């Protein structure tokens, strides 16, 4: 049951450049989307989110874009920094699904100094 | 900054034994969750808990699992008779209230190893 998919298991980006992480979903009931960042031996840390009524949300170096018609969202990090190296999870929830989060499989981002 | 605290960080147990994983959610939060992540797989929802009762559970959360909020601060996950396939990272999460955006805050996890 792959309702949330992150098709790139890993991504390497040069420091200072833009990192783009992608996520696709299949469930039309999802209306809230989140990105979490995870370091080894730690729990997922909330990064940024977006509601389905918006198509863009920005917070500092992080911007999330949502394309509802394509059921696609992306996370842009610019400029990328070495501390951004981590696993990034896309997650989605539905208003009437008791808000459980459905996660993607994650993308390991490595920032090359 | 308030955080979700989980203990122990690593639990090793023999198959068939009972384990209790403990969590202290952020103090003013009202919604509590357990997730797990088997090595190499995605984070999966197990159960949500609100107002002292389970509000939703997944297919994984069978009769071997139970949750409890024994006092005003702790939130526990009990696995009655562990199986090898229960080996995973177990994450507790909490959320303030229903009107807030569905941002859930996670603990660092408990690694459960069933031998």
């Amino acid at each position: 049951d792959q309702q949330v998919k992150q098709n790139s298991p890993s991504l390497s980006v040069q420091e200072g450049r833009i990192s783009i992480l992608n996520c696709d979903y299949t469930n039309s009931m999802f209306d809230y989307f989140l990105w979490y960042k995870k370091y080894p031996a730690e729990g997922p840390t909330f990064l940024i989110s977006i509601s389905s009524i918006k198509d863009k949300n920005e917070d500092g170096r992080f911007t999330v874009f949502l394309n509802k018609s394509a059921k696609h969202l992306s996370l842009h990090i610019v400029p990328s920094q070495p501390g951004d190296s981590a696993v990034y999870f896309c997650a989605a929830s539905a208003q009437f699904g008791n808000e459980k989060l459905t996660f993607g499989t994650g993308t390991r981002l490595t920032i090359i100094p | 900054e308030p955080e979700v605290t989980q203990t122990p960080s690593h639990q090793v147990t023999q198959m068939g034994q009972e384990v209790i994983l403990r969590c202290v959610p952020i103090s003013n939060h009202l919604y509590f969750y357990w997730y797990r992540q088997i090595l190499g797989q995605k984070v999966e929802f197990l159960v949500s808990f609100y107002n002292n009762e389970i509000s939703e559970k997944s297919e994984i959360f069978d009769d071997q699992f139970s949750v409890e909020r024994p006092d005003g601060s702790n939130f526990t996950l009990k696995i009655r008779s562990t199986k090898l396939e229960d080996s995973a990272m177990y994450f507790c999460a909490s959320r303030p209230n229903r009107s807030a955006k569905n941002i859930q805050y996670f603990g660092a996890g408990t690694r459960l190893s069933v031998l």
Side-chain angles (χ1 to χ4, degrees), chain A residues 9-64:
Chain A
S10 63
L11 176 68
S12 294
V13 174
Q14 207 74 33
E15 181 180 358
R17 306 293 290 266
I18 183 170
S19 296
I20 300 176
L21 296 95
N22 293 303
C23 177
D24 297 292
Y25 63 96
T26 57
N27 189 338
S28 300
M29 299 301 292
F30 288 148
D31 58 3
Y32 196 71
F33 304 89
L34 308 91
W35 285 94
Y36 282 86
K37 176 179 177 179
K38 187 179 180 305
Y39 293 118
E42 293 185 13
T45 301
F46 170 72
L47 200 55
I48 192 169
S49 62
I50 188 166
S51 164
S52 60
I53 62 173
K54 294 186 174 183
D55 55 17
K56 177 182 172 181
N57 188 28
E58 194 170 349
D59 183 3
R61 296 186 298 114
F62 303 93
T63 304
V64 55

Side-chain angles (χ1 to χ4, degrees), chain A residues 37-106:
Chain A
K37 176 179 177 179
K38 187 179 180 305
Y39 293 118
E42 293 185 13
T45 301
F46 170 72
L47 200 55
I48 192 169
S49 62
I50 188 166
S51 164
S52 60
I53 62 173
K54 294 186 174 183
D55 55 17
K56 177 182 172 181
N57 188 28
E58 194 170 349
D59 183 3
R61 296 186 298 114
F62 303 93
T63 304
V64 55
F65 295 92
L66 175 62
N67 182 333
K68 279 185 65 179
S69 60
K71 294 192 176 68
H72 177 85
L73 61 154
S74 60
L75 173 69
H76 292 211
I77 307 172
V78 57
S80 300
Q81 299 173 354
D84 296 330
S85 294
V87 177
Y88 288 78
F89 291 98
C90 170
S93 69
Q95 181 181 2
F96 299 107
N98 205 42
E99 294 98 25
K100 69 180 181 186
L101 296 179
T102 301
F103 282 84
T105 48

